[in-house]
mmCIF file with all atom_site columns, all heavy atoms in Angstrom:
data_model
loop_
_atom_site.group_PDB
_atom_site.id
_atom_site.type_symbol
_atom_site.label_atom_id
_atom_site.label_alt_id
_atom_site.label_comp_id
_atom_site.label_asym_id
_atom_site.label_entity_id
_atom_site.label_seq_id
_atom_site.pdbx_PDB_ins_code
_atom_site.Cartn_x
_atom_site.Cartn_y
_atom_site.Cartn_z
_atom_site.occupancy
_atom_site.B_iso_or_equiv
_atom_site.pdbx_formal_charge
_atom_site.auth_seq_id
_atom_site.auth_comp_id
_atom_site.auth_asym_id
_atom_site.auth_atom_id
_atom_site.pdbx_PDB_model_num
ATOM 1   N N   . LEU B 1 378 ? -25.083 25.532 85.491 1.00 0.00 ? 518 LEU B N   1
ATOM 2   C CA  . LEU B 1 378 ? -25.474 25.285 84.080 1.00 0.00 ? 518 LEU B CA  1
ATOM 3   C C   . LEU B 1 378 ? -24.378 24.526 83.358 1.00 0.00 ? 518 LEU B C   1
ATOM 4   O O   . LEU B 1 378 ? -24.659 23.724 82.413 1.00 0.00 ? 518 LEU B O   1
ATOM 5   C CB  . LEU B 1 378 ? -25.714 26.646 83.361 1.00 0.00 ? 518 LEU B CB  1
ATOM 6   C CG  . LEU B 1 378 ? -27.141 27.212 83.562 1.00 0.00 ? 518 LEU B CG  1
ATOM 7   C CD1 . LEU B 1 378 ? -27.183 28.585 82.886 1.00 0.00 ? 518 LEU B CD1 1
ATOM 8   C CD2 . LEU B 1 378 ? -28.179 26.276 82.930 1.00 0.00 ? 518 LEU B CD2 1
ATOM 9   N N   . MET B 1 379 ? -23.124 24.835 83.608 1.00 0.00 ? 519 MET B N   1
ATOM 10  C CA  . MET B 1 379 ? -22.005 24.166 82.958 1.00 0.00 ? 519 MET B CA  1
ATOM 11  C C   . MET B 1 379 ? -22.000 22.628 83.231 1.00 0.00 ? 519 MET B C   1
ATOM 12  O O   . MET B 1 379 ? -21.455 21.918 82.389 1.00 0.00 ? 519 MET B O   1
ATOM 13  C CB  . MET B 1 379 ? -20.604 24.750 83.463 1.00 0.00 ? 519 MET B CB  1
ATOM 14  C CG  . MET B 1 379 ? -20.289 26.073 82.796 1.00 0.00 ? 519 MET B CG  1
ATOM 15  S SD  . MET B 1 379 ? -20.429 26.200 80.992 1.00 0.00 ? 519 MET B SD  1
ATOM 16  C CE  . MET B 1 379 ? -19.172 25.079 80.452 1.00 0.00 ? 519 MET B CE  1
ATOM 17  N N   . GLN B 1 380 ? -22.630 22.252 84.314 1.00 0.00 ? 520 GLN B N   1
ATOM 18  C CA  . GLN B 1 380 ? -22.701 20.811 84.623 1.00 0.00 ? 520 GLN B CA  1
ATOM 19  C C   . GLN B 1 380 ? -24.032 20.159 84.210 1.00 0.00 ? 520 GLN B C   1
ATOM 20  O O   . GLN B 1 380 ? -24.169 18.960 84.265 1.00 0.00 ? 520 GLN B O   1
ATOM 21  C CB  . GLN B 1 380 ? -22.450 20.556 86.062 1.00 0.00 ? 520 GLN B CB  1
ATOM 22  C CG  . GLN B 1 380 ? -20.924 20.995 86.346 1.00 0.00 ? 520 GLN B CG  1
ATOM 23  C CD  . GLN B 1 380 ? -20.474 20.605 87.732 1.00 0.00 ? 520 GLN B CD  1
ATOM 24  O OE1 . GLN B 1 380 ? -21.213 20.821 88.721 1.00 0.00 ? 520 GLN B OE1 1
ATOM 25  N NE2 . GLN B 1 380 ? -19.281 20.100 87.852 1.00 0.00 ? 520 GLN B NE2 1
ATOM 26  N N   . ASP B 1 381 ? -24.987 21.020 83.741 1.00 0.00 ? 521 ASP B N   1
ATOM 27  C CA  . ASP B 1 381 ? -26.260 20.521 83.241 1.00 0.00 ? 521 ASP B CA  1
ATOM 28  C C   . ASP B 1 381 ? -26.097 20.111 81.785 1.00 0.00 ? 521 ASP B C   1
ATOM 29  O O   . ASP B 1 381 ? -25.306 20.693 81.046 1.00 0.00 ? 521 ASP B O   1
ATOM 30  C CB  . ASP B 1 381 ? -27.373 21.563 83.351 1.00 0.00 ? 521 ASP B CB  1
ATOM 31  C CG  . ASP B 1 381 ? -27.912 21.681 84.740 1.00 0.00 ? 521 ASP B CG  1
ATOM 32  O OD1 . ASP B 1 381 ? -27.565 20.824 85.557 1.00 0.00 ? 521 ASP B OD1 1
ATOM 33  O OD2 . ASP B 1 381 ? -28.673 22.599 85.017 1.00 0.00 ? 521 ASP B OD2 1
ATOM 34  N N   . ASP B 1 382 ? -26.960 19.170 81.376 1.00 0.00 ? 522 ASP B N   1
ATOM 35  C CA  . ASP B 1 382 ? -26.985 18.856 79.931 1.00 0.00 ? 522 ASP B CA  1
ATOM 36  C C   . ASP B 1 382 ? -27.971 19.758 79.294 1.00 0.00 ? 522 ASP B C   1
ATOM 37  O O   . ASP B 1 382 ? -29.235 19.641 79.533 1.00 0.00 ? 522 ASP B O   1
ATOM 38  C CB  . ASP B 1 382 ? -27.393 17.402 79.789 1.00 0.00 ? 522 ASP B CB  1
ATOM 39  C CG  . ASP B 1 382 ? -27.577 17.048 78.309 1.00 0.00 ? 522 ASP B CG  1
ATOM 40  O OD1 . ASP B 1 382 ? -26.888 17.722 77.469 1.00 0.00 ? 522 ASP B OD1 1
ATOM 41  O OD2 . ASP B 1 382 ? -28.353 16.101 77.982 1.00 0.00 ? 522 ASP B OD2 1
ATOM 42  N N   . LEU B 1 383 ? -27.560 20.637 78.405 1.00 0.00 ? 523 LEU B N   1
ATOM 43  C CA  . LEU B 1 383 ? -28.496 21.580 77.774 1.00 0.00 ? 523 LEU B CA  1
ATOM 44  C C   . LEU B 1 383 ? -28.870 21.059 76.330 1.00 0.00 ? 523 LEU B C   1
ATOM 45  O O   . LEU B 1 383 ? -30.039 21.110 75.987 1.00 0.00 ? 523 LEU B O   1
ATOM 46  C CB  . LEU B 1 383 ? -27.797 22.981 77.648 1.00 0.00 ? 523 LEU B CB  1
ATOM 47  C CG  . LEU B 1 383 ? -27.307 23.554 79.017 1.00 0.00 ? 523 LEU B CG  1
ATOM 48  C CD1 . LEU B 1 383 ? -26.676 24.923 78.756 1.00 0.00 ? 523 LEU B CD1 1
ATOM 49  C CD2 . LEU B 1 383 ? -28.443 23.691 80.001 1.00 0.00 ? 523 LEU B CD2 1
ATOM 50  N N   . LYS B 1 384 ? -27.901 20.686 75.584 1.00 0.00 ? 524 LYS B N   1
ATOM 51  C CA  . LYS B 1 384 ? -28.183 20.294 74.198 1.00 0.00 ? 524 LYS B CA  1
ATOM 52  C C   . LYS B 1 384 ? -27.449 19.046 73.762 1.00 0.00 ? 524 LYS B C   1
ATOM 53  O O   . LYS B 1 384 ? -26.875 18.943 72.732 1.00 0.00 ? 524 LYS B O   1
ATOM 54  C CB  . LYS B 1 384 ? -27.793 21.479 73.203 1.00 0.00 ? 524 LYS B CB  1
ATOM 55  C CG  . LYS B 1 384 ? -28.701 22.681 73.347 1.00 0.00 ? 524 LYS B CG  1
ATOM 56  C CD  . LYS B 1 384 ? -30.100 22.364 72.753 1.00 0.00 ? 524 LYS B CD  1
ATOM 57  C CE  . LYS B 1 384 ? -31.109 23.502 73.070 1.00 0.00 ? 524 LYS B CE  1
ATOM 58  N NZ  . LYS B 1 384 ? -30.836 24.781 72.479 1.00 0.00 ? 524 LYS B NZ  1
ATOM 59  N N   . GLY B 1 385 ? -27.432 18.123 74.752 1.00 0.00 ? 525 GLY B N   1
ATOM 60  C CA  . GLY B 1 385 ? -26.793 16.809 74.486 1.00 0.00 ? 525 GLY B CA  1
ATOM 61  C C   . GLY B 1 385 ? -25.289 16.851 74.599 1.00 0.00 ? 525 GLY B C   1
ATOM 62  O O   . GLY B 1 385 ? -24.628 15.829 74.194 1.00 0.00 ? 525 GLY B O   1
ATOM 63  N N   . GLU B 1 386 ? -24.768 17.948 75.157 1.00 0.00 ? 526 GLU B N   1
ATOM 64  C CA  . GLU B 1 386 ? -23.306 18.042 75.217 1.00 0.00 ? 526 GLU B CA  1
ATOM 65  C C   . GLU B 1 386 ? -22.726 17.192 76.386 1.00 0.00 ? 526 GLU B C   1
ATOM 66  O O   . GLU B 1 386 ? -21.551 16.817 76.318 1.00 0.00 ? 526 GLU B O   1
ATOM 67  C CB  . GLU B 1 386 ? -22.856 19.508 75.334 1.00 0.00 ? 526 GLU B CB  1
ATOM 68  C CG  . GLU B 1 386 ? -23.122 20.169 76.677 1.00 0.00 ? 526 GLU B CG  1
ATOM 69  C CD  . GLU B 1 386 ? -24.570 20.616 76.856 1.00 0.00 ? 526 GLU B CD  1
ATOM 70  O OE1 . GLU B 1 386 ? -25.392 20.288 76.085 1.00 0.00 ? 526 GLU B OE1 1
ATOM 71  O OE2 . GLU B 1 386 ? -24.791 21.325 77.911 1.00 0.00 ? 526 GLU B OE2 1
ATOM 72  N N   . CYS B 1 387 ? -23.599 16.927 77.420 1.00 0.00 ? 527 CYS B N   1
ATOM 73  C CA  . CYS B 1 387 ? -23.174 16.098 78.544 1.00 0.00 ? 527 CYS B CA  1
ATOM 74  C C   . CYS B 1 387 ? -24.037 14.878 78.589 1.00 0.00 ? 527 CYS B C   1
ATOM 75  O O   . CYS B 1 387 ? -25.197 15.018 78.409 1.00 0.00 ? 527 CYS B O   1
ATOM 76  C CB  . CYS B 1 387 ? -23.372 16.813 79.890 1.00 0.00 ? 527 CYS B CB  1
ATOM 77  S SG  . CYS B 1 387 ? -22.530 18.269 80.153 1.00 0.00 ? 527 CYS B SG  1
ATOM 78  N N   . THR B 1 388 ? -23.476 13.789 78.806 1.00 0.00 ? 528 THR B N   1
ATOM 79  C CA  . THR B 1 388 ? -24.319 12.571 79.050 1.00 0.00 ? 528 THR B CA  1
ATOM 80  C C   . THR B 1 388 ? -24.366 12.282 80.522 1.00 0.00 ? 528 THR B C   1
ATOM 81  O O   . THR B 1 388 ? -23.411 12.582 81.249 1.00 0.00 ? 528 THR B O   1
ATOM 82  C CB  . THR B 1 388 ? -23.826 11.349 78.259 1.00 0.00 ? 528 THR B CB  1
ATOM 83  O OG1 . THR B 1 388 ? -22.522 10.985 78.796 1.00 0.00 ? 528 THR B OG1 1
ATOM 84  C CG2 . THR B 1 388 ? -23.654 11.668 76.771 1.00 0.00 ? 528 THR B CG2 1
ATOM 85  N N   . ARG B 1 389 ? -25.465 11.697 81.002 1.00 0.00 ? 529 ARG B N   1
ATOM 86  C CA  . ARG B 1 389 ? -25.508 11.288 82.404 1.00 0.00 ? 529 ARG B CA  1
ATOM 87  C C   . ARG B 1 389 ? -24.746 9.996  82.638 1.00 0.00 ? 529 ARG B C   1
ATOM 88  O O   . ARG B 1 389 ? -24.236 9.834  83.711 1.00 0.00 ? 529 ARG B O   1
ATOM 89  C CB  . ARG B 1 389 ? -27.002 11.100 82.802 1.00 0.00 ? 529 ARG B CB  1
ATOM 90  C CG  . ARG B 1 389 ? -27.894 12.271 82.751 1.00 0.00 ? 529 ARG B CG  1
ATOM 91  C CD  . ARG B 1 389 ? -27.703 13.241 83.943 1.00 0.00 ? 529 ARG B CD  1
ATOM 92  N NE  . ARG B 1 389 ? -28.017 12.621 85.231 1.00 0.00 ? 529 ARG B NE  1
ATOM 93  C CZ  . ARG B 1 389 ? -27.641 13.079 86.412 1.00 0.00 ? 529 ARG B CZ  1
ATOM 94  N NH1 . ARG B 1 389 ? -26.899 14.195 86.384 1.00 0.00 ? 529 ARG B NH1 1
ATOM 95  N NH2 . ARG B 1 389 ? -27.987 12.529 87.491 1.00 0.00 ? 529 ARG B NH2 1
ATOM 96  N N   . ARG B 1 390 ? -24.759 9.162  81.616 1.00 0.00 ? 530 ARG B N   1
ATOM 97  C CA  . ARG B 1 390 ? -24.182 7.838  81.783 1.00 0.00 ? 530 ARG B CA  1
ATOM 98  C C   . ARG B 1 390 ? -23.132 7.657  80.677 1.00 0.00 ? 530 ARG B C   1
ATOM 99  O O   . ARG B 1 390 ? -23.349 8.077  79.579 1.00 0.00 ? 530 ARG B O   1
ATOM 100 C CB  . ARG B 1 390 ? -25.221 6.728  81.582 1.00 0.00 ? 530 ARG B CB  1
ATOM 101 C CG  . ARG B 1 390 ? -26.412 6.845  82.566 1.00 0.00 ? 530 ARG B CG  1
ATOM 102 C CD  . ARG B 1 390 ? -27.598 6.042  82.138 1.00 0.00 ? 530 ARG B CD  1
ATOM 103 N NE  . ARG B 1 390 ? -27.203 4.620  81.801 1.00 0.00 ? 530 ARG B NE  1
ATOM 104 C CZ  . ARG B 1 390 ? -27.321 4.151  80.603 1.00 0.00 ? 530 ARG B CZ  1
ATOM 105 N NH1 . ARG B 1 390 ? -27.862 4.817  79.580 1.00 0.00 ? 530 ARG B NH1 1
ATOM 106 N NH2 . ARG B 1 390 ? -26.906 2.874  80.375 1.00 0.00 ? 530 ARG B NH2 1
#
Side-chain angles (χ1 to χ4, degrees):
Chain B
L518 276 174
M519 282 310 292
Q520 295 188 315
D521 279 352
D522 176 28
L523 304 180
K524 291 289 169 66
E526 73 282 7
C527 296
T528 64
R529 294 284 297 164
R530 299 165 52 242

